[in-house]
Amino acid sequence: MPFHTMHAPNPPDTPDTDPLFPAHFQWGAATAAQQIEGAAREGGRGPSIWDAFCAEPGRIKDGSNVDVACDHYHRYAEDVRHMQWLGLGAYRFSFSWPRLQPEGRGAWNEAGFAFYDRLIDTLLAAGIQPHATLYHWDLPLALYAGIGGWRSRDSVALFADYAAEVARRFGDRLASIATHNEPWCTATLGHETGQFAPGHRSRAEAMQVSHHLLLSHGAAIQAMRVETAAPLGIVLNHTPPYPAEAVEADRRAARLADGLSTRWYMDPVFLGSYPADVLAHLGADAPQLQGGDLARIRQPLDFLGVNFYTRGFVSTRSPALPAPGVLGFNDMGWETYPDALTALLVRLSREYMPPPMYITENGMAHADALVQGRVADAPRIDYLRRHLHAVARAMALGAEVAGYFYWSLLDNFEWDSGYAKRFGLFHVDYANQQRTPKDSAHWYRDFIARQRQRARG
Ligand code: FCB
């Protein structure tokens, strides 16, 4: 079904009662290494492109860096206790490539492997399934300096080596391994708009990078299959673009915007081709392919990770029409529009017949304040509740969803926004690293407990 026919207003009447999820549904929260670990120069970790990006004046809005972040490297055991308190059955985290292989090739860093050993064992002892991602944007700086990072086709084989080593060491203890997190962000925000590290601005380069990322996904899946029986997949982000007005120009523009984001990644991974309309649009900016690339990208997968925060709004009018925003906008300026999640999940199911999906990220930033030991974040509770209903509606319409990971467990380093944007279920006071469960954490904890009760009863 073309996505623009699914444009429908949010029901104002999202019920107060809980949606019922299957007994085996996984309840989780997500983080990423670069955003929480800190210990940037400890335990043999090499620098990443984000360490370097933070040092460039003007790149990070609050001028902050990732040296300490949430100090999770030292506080992981406490953080697992917070997950246990929430009642999480699953936790999504990412491995820091420069912590495991400081140069991005060659020697492995045993102290880095030991850290993740401890983390994984602590999770398992707490009854929490570890779901890992190999690449959540922290490229070893040495690979950027040495070969140009993802611009070089050599990055593909190096990433596959790294993936194989992680699978060999940890595969038997991981509930899933995802290759990339949101390759669109690495390619487009990192190499076309310059908003993210390494901060380049070239569409041709971004598209070549996207191809190398996709190829490295396929190569990593192949390499990991040899090492492990763990479920393997990829995490893709979607901001479904909606036409601002019911006019052909806006529909066409929205269709192209969808092609440059969702279809550019979903098509090669699941159908083995790049979308023809997007290739035509890109012209000379289209990536260079070699024989066999597309077959290599399309590997059988065990799950698909879906990250969803908001919808996009495409207007060809000048000045562009703003989004209507019935349910409001959050601290990132992102509209709350849960119906787009229902429509997305149903559409992905029908058009791509993917393996079971996880909602690997969903959440909102709010200008939270810790007042007398409490963070009253009612808008986050509303967001969470509405999106859980949206997932349940998609499942009732046939989408197979196996779990939900709220982004994020903790307030953390929000990339170019620094520490100014708070997405966590737990508030982090960066002055003393104290974690405080927000009202939303209490709500999620109660919700998970009720789901468990209903599943038992
Ligand atoms: C996603 C990223 C994640 C986090 C959220 C808010 O794009 O995967 O690291 O920053 O956005």
Side-chain angles (χ1 to χ4, degrees):
M1 179 176 332
F3 73 96
H4 57 258
T5 62
M6 305 187 75
H7 188 169
N10 278 293
D13 56 339
T14 293
D16 285 335
T17 51
D18 290 345
L20 181 58
F21 287 85
H24 59 261
F25 197 86
Q26 291 287 323
W27 295 105
T31 64
Q34 187 74 88
Q35 295 176 276
I36 64 166
E37 282 183 9
R41 282 174 283 278
E42 268 179 73
R45 178 185 180 273
S48 78
I49 54 170
W50 275 92
D51 296 43
F53 198 63
C54 290
E56 290 178 26
R59 291 297 200 181
I60 311 298
K61 289 192 187 86
D62 61 3
S64 60
N65 63 48
V66 283
D67 290 358
V68 179
C70 304
D71 196 32
H72 172 77
Y73 183 77
H74 298 113
R75 293 168 196 265
Y76 71 91
E78 178 195 337
D79 290 338
V80 174
R81 283 198 295 279
H82 294 317
M83 296 175 212
Q84 243 181 325
W85 175 85
L86 279 170
L88 299 189
Y91 171 58
R92 173 172 180 251
F93 67 99
S94 76
F95 290 110
S96 160
W97 187 357
R99 194 178 290 293
L100 293 175
Q101 195 180 30
E103 304 279 314
R105 54 183 153 184
W108 304 108
N109 174 34
E110 292 308 322
F113 282 96
F115 166 67
Y116 293 110
D117 249 326
R118 293 194 295 276
L119 172 64
I120 292 168
D121 284 349
T122 307
L123 288 165
L124 291 172
I128 299 167
Q129 291 194 12
H131 292 258
T133 299
L134 293 171
Y135 188 76
H136 201 127
W137 310 350
D138 42 0
L139 187 77
L141 184 61
L143 276 194
Y144 176 71
I147 64 169
W150 295 110
R151 286 174 293 170
S152 163
R153 197 175 162 100
D154 294 345
S155 59
V156 173
L158 294 171
F159 182 68
D161 287 349
Y162 157 60
E165 187 69 14
V166 169
R168 185 177 309 132
R169 304 243 201 162
F170 297 124
D172 58 343
R173 283 177 286 162
L174 293 174
S176 77
I177 307 176
T179 53
H180 285 284
N181 176 73
E182 305 192 350
W184 178 87
C185 292
T186 302
T188 300
L189 302 183
H191 296 81
E192 183 174 338
T193 69
Q195 188 187 336
F196 282 5
H200 294 199
R201 286 171 183 269
S202 155
R203 170 168 272 194
E205 191 181 286
M207 299 320 292
Q208 193 62 45
V209 163
S210 75
H211 181 63
H212 293 155
L213 291 167
L214 285 159
L215 197 55
S216 76
H217 155 76
I221 295 286
Q222 286 179 323
M224 289 194 289
R225 290 285 184 214
V226 179
E227 305 292 343
T228 185
L232 306 179
I234 189 169
V235 173
L236 301 177
N237 57 306
H238 308 270
T239 303
Y242 285 67
E245 292 176 277
V247 296
E248 191 48 29
D250 285 10
R251 279 201 201 100
R252 264 209 311 274
R255 173 85 186 149
L256 179 63
D258 175 76
L260 282 160
S261 50
T262 291
R263 289 186 288 122
W264 186 258
Y265 292 90
M266 289 292 293
D267 282 18
V269 168
F270 291 103
L271 310 177
S273 58
Y274 283 117
D277 59 327
V278 181
L279 285 173
H281 166 79
L282 289 172
D285 289 339
Q288 304 292 315
L289 274 61
Q290 292 182 14
D293 281 3
L294 287 166
R296 194 152 193 219
I297 294 171
R298 186 194 190 186
Q299 297 295 318
L301 299 182
D302 306 307
F303 72 93
L304 169 65
V306 175
N307 290 0
F308 173 90
Y309 290 90
T310 186
R311 68 166 164 170
F313 206 63
V314 180
S315 172
T316 51
R317 259 217 224 171
S318 184
L321 286 180
V326 175
L327 294 176
F329 297 83
N330 65 39
D331 201 32
M332 294 295 281
W334 298 349
E335 184 194 0
T336 297
Y337 197 78
D339 259 16
L341 176 56
T342 306
L344 171 72
L345 293 170
V346 171
R347 172 216 174 177
L348 294 181
S349 302
R350 292 184 184 162
E351 290 185 8
Y352 296 96
M353 286 178 284
M357 294 181 278
Y358 287 110
I359 308 303
T360 31
E361 288 181 26
N362 174 240
M364 68 170 272
H366 187 243
D368 296 313
L370 181 63
V371 181
Q372 292 174 337
R374 175 175 172 206
V375 179
D377 61 341
R380 184 174 286 107
I381 296 174
D382 189 59
Y383 181 98
L384 187 47
R385 197 175 64 78
R386 286 181 187 275
H387 284 81
L388 293 174
H389 276 283
V391 175
R393 284 200 299 275
M395 292 171 74
L397 292 167
E400 195 182 346
V401 184
Y404 175 91
F405 295 81
Y406 179 79
W407 182 274
S408 177
L409 176 71
L410 304 169
D411 291 340
N412 59 44
F413 175 76
E414 179 48 35
W415 309 110
D416 61 323
S417 302
Y419 297 93
K421 302 297 178 196
R422 294 179 177 272
F423 278 87
L425 293 167
F426 281 79
H427 178 273
V428 176
D429 182 339
Y430 295 107
N432 58 18
Q433 291 295 342
Q434 194 182 316
R435 280 81 158 126
T436 306
K438 301 178 188 177
D439 284 3
S440 57
H442 288 275
W443 185 89
Y444 192 37
R445 176 181 197 248
D446 292 347
F447 176 85
I448 294 170
R450 288 197 299 273
Q451 289 292 320
R452 294 246 165 82
Q453 230 159 31
R454 287 168 69 172
R456 272 198 303 270

